[in-house]
Amino acid sequence: MLPFFAALLLATADAGVDPVDAGPLIVPPSASCEGAPEYPPSERASGIAVSVVVQISLAADGSVSSREVVEAPSPAFAAAARRAIERCALT
């Protein structure tokens, strides 16, 4: 079974339709952040490794429209992540 996009290309070619220029390649942004996230002092005694999920949304012009913590193991880690993503810029 062909992936959807490959099947669509074959179907288009078989139908005698000329390909359409989709425009320039979309390049994903890269992040540059000032320093590493701070491990919350209130959580240091635990010494655990954690993951925090953040969501950064971009406007049509490429600027950051919102930054939010989606998932964190505690409010302290969420606050540390929030401070860290405020120090990041996308280019």
Side-chain angles (χ1 to χ4, degrees):
M1 183 168 183
L2 291 174
F4 173 75
F5 186 68
L8 180 62
L9 287 176
L10 289 175
T12 303
D14 291 343
V17 177
D18 292 329
V20 176
D21 181 7
L25 177 67
I26 297 173
V27 178
S30 62
S32 69
C33 302
E34 297 175 16
E38 179 186 345
Y39 199 95
S42 62
E43 302 288 340
R44 279 207 180 110
S46 68
I48 59 172
V50 301
S51 294
V52 176
V53 178
V54 299
Q55 178 176 326
I56 300 173
S57 299
L58 302 177
D61 66 359
S63 63
V64 175
S65 60
S66 70
R67 297 172 169 101
E68 74 176 284
V69 176
V70 177
E71 184 179 320
S74 74
F77 283 113
R82 216 172 282 109
R83 286 190 299 274
I85 61 176
E86 288 298 322
R87 295 190 315 257
C88 293
L90 297 172
T91 55

